[in-house]
Amino acid sequence: MDREQEENGGQSADSGSLLGTKVESLVDGESSIGSDSEINGFTVDEKQPDKYGFIGGAQQYTGDSAEDIPPEVLRQREGKWLDMLNNWDKWMAKRHKKVRLRCQKGIPPALRGRAWLYLCGGKVKREQNRGKFEELDGQAGDPMWLDVIEKDLYRQFPFHEMFVARGGHGQQDLYRVLKAYTLYRPDEGYCQAQAPIAAVLLMHMPAEDAFWGLVQICEKYLPGYYSAGLEAIQLDGEILFALLRRVSPLAHRHLKKHKMDPILYMTEWFMCAFSRTLPWASVLRVWDMFFCDGVKIIFRVGLVLLKCMLGTQEKLKACQGQYETMELLRAVDSRYMQEGFLVREVLEVAVSERDIEKEHHTQLKRWKENRGELHYKSPPRMHGAKAIMTAEPPSRQDLRQNPTIIVQSPLVSNSPDSSALRPEKEEQTEEEKSNDEKKERKEKAHEKKSKSKKALQAIPNPYALATDPEPLLKDAPRRGSNLSMSSTEQDTYL
């Protein structure tokens, strides 16, 4: 195990280590790395976490690994994302290109968890399966999978404050999510590469949402990746290698010359969606685009790294054999993984979902000729948020946002409209619903009749006297605005 992998709490990326088989702990007994509040000689209290929650390790924030966004720009982006989330079906149907562009710019941190859940279809899945996670969470689970999951808990981001403490809330939620998935898909069970995926989701959303996010990734974005045999990942390895010929012929020839099977270097990249490879700022940006556009983003990142590390004769001089090449790919130069550089390069790679599907058909045909039929037939892959939404159209109710935090403004608490800031009742009788509808119709009719009167009242008095009172709340924000975080239409994970 190289130093960088050890810092990230990862294992070597050989195919056997990523299967859902029983494995030994990274270290003996109860002292596995990250299992206690003490790590490498310092306690959590002695280290201040960075803005992503890391207190150490290779993925900790450094000034040159990420781009800082001015606060005013961030506030503007948050307002735009709140508007999109409030009208998600319309934006996805009519302005999907704009959604994609905003994902490429980076989702605001405060809204990232909610945006991911909407993009992947996890929000709809959760609404259509209410109570399912609680049901699975209450079941015992298969002891075979639970034993492996428990050993893996301490290996997931041991330098992140959420997972640093043995038996802490982060590890508990991770256990719940992974156990629930083995019960949800008993035919697939558990694979070690699912743990970092679930852990990243848990850093941004509650356990139930993280579970449905994991379901969508496993079933829609990366189907078959976590099934026994790793056939899907091997097939995508061949697709990556074929696409590399177009992106970087020199790197392709070098890997082919030394008979470098793609599964040797790309397994962990793809199965963990680069979450254990890149600096954290880059991981988040890649995931923003991945949830929007699907697996083509993962392919593009892999192609960029291979091109940057093996794309010139000068670089190839340092790796004359298979061993040297592997060592080079295990320790990718940090310059090529920096947020700004990586995102720009990924967006310039001319690889579309059509290219991937075309190559998939070619490689699948070759696989059947050489190895026979696949043992595990995975469902068709969905290339991003729009494809998922088209395949499973949601209702408005499925996309409706439910508040988790409600702050009532004292300025409007006594006004007739203050009910807009109160949480809705969980259940309403048919009679109450009917009364509400009648009341709403009456209010609309009244507004229509008094429209001309209101228009006249809105005209300012050009001959105002000095004794005329100044309007109250002159600069107060408009009540019910999409930009108001106190609105019941908004919620966020803090």
Side-chain angles (χ1 to χ4, degrees):
M1 182 193 304
D2 58 78
R3 185 181 64 81
E4 186 173 354
Q5 285 176 318
E6 188 173 2
E7 286 179 338
N8 287 326
Q11 290 178 275
S12 60
D14 59 279
S15 59
S17 69
L18 291 169
L19 285 170
T21 56
K22 292 187 178 182
V23 291
E24 294 303 320
S25 180
L26 284 181
V27 290
D28 295 332
E30 297 293 324
S31 60
S32 58
I33 187 168
S35 60
D36 303 309
S37 61
E38 187 173 309
I39 299 177
N40 292 347
F42 61 83
T43 61
V44 177
D45 295 335
E46 294 172 1
K47 277 280 188 176
Q48 289 296 323
D50 66 11
K51 63 181 181 179
Y52 302 116
F54 287 92
I55 58 175
Q59 289 177 303
Q60 190 174 24
Y61 170 80
T62 58
D64 59 351
S65 67
E67 296 180 335
D68 288 323
I69 302 172
E72 59 274 13
V73 175
L74 198 58
R75 297 291 86 79
Q76 290 176 358
R77 291 183 181 179
E78 286 173 352
K80 292 175 181 178
W81 270 96
L82 286 170
D83 178 61
M84 287 199 303
L85 292 168
N86 284 331
N87 303 279
W88 189 248
D89 52 341
K90 295 178 182 177
W91 276 87
M92 290 298 291
K94 299 177 181 179
R95 304 190 67 188
H96 178 253
K97 289 183 178 179
K98 194 70 174 179
V99 177
R100 173 186 287 142
L101 180 62
R102 289 177 179 174
C103 287
Q104 291 172 356
K105 288 182 178 179
I107 301 172
L111 300 171
R112 182 167 269 130
R114 191 160 19 133
W116 283 359
L117 201 66
Y118 271 72
L119 285 164
C120 74
K123 170 71 163 67
V124 175
K125 200 84 169 178
R126 187 190 72 189
E127 295 300 323
Q128 294 176 350
N129 294 273
R130 281 192 168 274
K132 184 66 175 177
F133 177 73
E134 289 81 359
E135 176 191 332
L136 297 172
D137 193 30
Q139 296 178 22
D142 189 331
M144 178 184 72
W145 297 126
L146 300 185
D147 183 42
V148 184
I149 291 171
E150 202 158 352
K151 289 179 179 178
D152 282 348
L153 293 178
Y154 319 126
R155 303 170 185 173
Q156 311 313 318
F157 306 105
F159 288 96
H160 192 277
E161 60 180 352
M162 187 173 179
F163 301 104
V164 69
R166 179 183 176 86
H169 70 90
Q171 290 189 5
Q172 290 178 25
D173 283 350
L174 183 58
Y175 178 84
R176 293 170 60 208
V177 169
L178 296 174
K179 183 197 77 171
Y181 188 82
T182 64
L183 293 166
Y184 183 76
R185 289 291 303 272
D187 57 319
E188 191 171 285
Y190 168 70
C191 173
Q192 286 179 302
Q194 289 172 317
I197 295 288
V200 176
L201 294 171
L202 281 169
M203 292 177 195
H204 297 86
M205 57 187 78
E208 183 178 9
D209 291 353
F211 168 74
W212 290 115
L214 178 65
V215 167
Q216 291 298 94
I217 289 174
C218 294
E219 293 186 350
K220 302 293 195 299
Y221 287 81
L222 307 174
Y225 267 37
Y226 309 106
S227 59
L230 297 180
E231 291 177 326
I233 195 71
Q234 290 181 66
L235 203 56
D236 274 3
E238 297 301 328
I239 296 172
L240 176 70
F241 190 59
L243 293 173
L244 183 63
R245 182 187 303 166
R246 186 200 312 178
V247 175
S248 178
L250 196 61
H252 180 272
R253 283 198 301 270
H254 177 80
L255 293 172
K256 186 175 182 179
K257 174 185 175 182
H258 295 289
K259 298 180 180 178
M260 298 277 294
D261 194 319
I263 202 170
L264 293 174
Y265 53 83
M266 55 75 68
T267 305
E268 186 174 79
W269 290 357
F270 276 52
M271 293 186 76
C272 300
F274 290 96
S275 62
R276 300 204 299 189
T277 305
L278 302 173
W280 202 248
S282 300
V283 171
L284 297 178
R285 294 291 299 279
V286 166
W287 277 48
D288 290 347
M289 296 185 290
F290 168 61
F291 276 117
C292 182
D293 284 330
V295 78
K296 76 176 181 184
I297 299 298
I298 304 298
F299 276 97
R300 287 182 180 185
V301 176
L303 291 168
V304 167
L305 296 184
L306 290 170
K307 178 183 177 181
C308 289
M309 295 302 289
L310 304 171
T312 65
Q313 289 288 358
E314 185 178 352
K315 292 170 183 175
L316 294 180
K317 290 178 182 177
C319 47
Q320 297 296 321
Q322 189 180 92
Y323 174 79
E324 291 82 6
T325 303
M326 276 303 302
E327 287 299 304
L328 192 67
L329 295 178
R330 280 176 179 162
V332 178
D333 193 319
S334 60
R335 292 176 299 168
Y336 307 131
M337 299 192 293
Q338 290 175 6
E339 177 189 356
F341 174 85
L342 183 63
V343 171
R344 285 192 298 272
E345 291 295 313
V346 165
L347 294 177
E348 289 179 6
V349 175
V351 171
S352 66
E353 48 264 33
R354 181 178 295 180
D355 296 327
I356 293 171
E357 286 305 312
K358 182 179 178 181
E359 197 58 49
H360 181 270
H361 178 75
T362 302
Q363 296 301 329
L364 184 60
K365 183 178 178 181
R366 188 173 299 172
W367 178 290
K368 290 178 179 178
E369 290 173 355
N370 298 331
R371 311 190 197 186
E373 292 290 334
L374 294 171
H375 292 91
Y376 181 85
K377 292 186 178 180
S378 57
R381 178 154 49 197
M382 299 286 179
H383 288 276
K386 189 172 180 63
I388 292 172
M389 200 167 185
T390 303
E392 300 175 356
S395 66
R396 289 288 294 173
Q397 186 63 29
D398 293 335
L399 294 172
R400 188 172 178 274
Q401 298 184 61
N402 300 313
T404 56
I405 299 173
I406 300 169
V407 180
Q408 186 164 334
S409 170
L411 298 175
V412 295
S413 59
N414 296 322
S415 71
D417 296 332
S418 63
S419 59
L421 296 177
R422 297 184 190 127
E424 293 185 349
K425 297 177 182 178
E426 291 185 3
E427 294 183 4
Q428 279 188 314
T429 63
E430 292 298 325
E431 185 178 352
E432 288 173 332
K433 290 180 181 178
S434 177
N435 291 337
D436 289 344
E437 290 174 359
K438 289 178 182 178
K439 186 178 178 182
E440 189 176 346
R441 285 198 295 270
K442 287 180 181 179
E443 288 175 351
K444 286 181 178 178
H446 179 71
E447 288 175 3
K448 190 174 182 181
K449 288 179 182 179
S450 59
K451 186 176 180 181
S452 58
K453 184 179 178 181
K454 287 183 178 180
L456 290 172
Q457 291 175 346
I459 301 174
N461 181 5
Y463 307 106
L465 300 175
T467 55
D468 286 352
E470 289 293 323
L472 296 175
L473 304 178
K474 183 176 180 181
D475 297 320
R478 184 181 58 167
R479 190 163 60 248
S481 167
N482 286 339
L483 302 182
S484 172
M485 290 303 292
S486 63
S487 169
T488 57
E489 292 299 311
Q490 315 302 340
D491 67 322
T492 188
Y493 305 127
L494 301 178

